[in-house]
Amino acid sequence: MNKKELVQAISHKSKISKDQAAKVLNEITSRITEALAKGDEVKINDFGIFQLAEKKERKGRNPQTGEEITIAASKAPQFKAAKVLKDILNEKSFIEKFVSTGKLNEE
């Protein structure tokens, strides 16, 4: 599923316009990005945690020359799925399981 398909799904399920759905999605991703940039975690119950992973400076090798190089320290976003999400995805009929947990409004 890409962003356009996600916007369409949100629009259809929530009965709002595609423009409104796109604004909501953009706002959510912006807030998550801002929180991560500040070093904060974003926890969404029964879904997961977005957090920042910090990688230390390390030694590596240039694959073409074999020369040893220093790889700079970096930061990367990371997502850890919640147990509820993992359990749902590992069921054969995960959609029915998700609906039966009451986490999804059927309208």
Side-chain angles (χ1 to χ4, degrees):
M1 177 180 282
N2 61 32
K3 185 176 180 180
K4 183 179 178 181
E5 293 167 338
L6 184 55
V7 166
Q8 286 175 334
I10 293 168
S11 173
H12 177 73
K13 191 72 176 171
S14 303
K15 295 180 177 52
I16 59 175
S17 72
K18 287 181 185 174
D19 286 343
Q20 290 172 319
K23 286 179 185 177
V24 168
L25 182 58
N26 288 338
E27 195 61 34
I28 291 169
T29 56
S30 292
R31 295 303 136 238
I32 291 171
T33 301
E34 287 176 10
L36 291 175
K38 289 191 281 182
D40 295 338
E41 289 185 341
V42 178
K43 295 180 184 180
I44 302 173
N45 290 342
D46 299 330
F47 186 70
I49 301 172
F50 294 92
Q51 58 190 18
L52 195 61
E54 295 191 32
K55 298 180 181 181
K56 297 178 182 177
E57 183 178 279
R58 61 195 190 278
K59 299 289 182 191
R61 293 213 177 266
N62 180 330
Q64 293 178 341
T65 65
E67 176 187 357
E68 187 174 278
I69 58 171
T70 301
I71 301 169
S74 64
K75 297 176 183 179
Q78 198 174 53
F79 177 75
K80 290 187 178 178
K83 183 181 183 321
V84 172
L85 179 60
K86 289 178 189 177
D87 289 346
I88 290 168
L89 297 177
N90 286 308
E91 290 289 321
K92 271 190 171 177
S93 57
F94 70 93
I95 297 292
E96 287 127 21
K97 175 80 171 173
F98 192 66
V99 170
S100 70
T101 63
K103 305 295 181 195
L104 181 67
N105 282 337
E106 290 182 87
E107 294 180 16

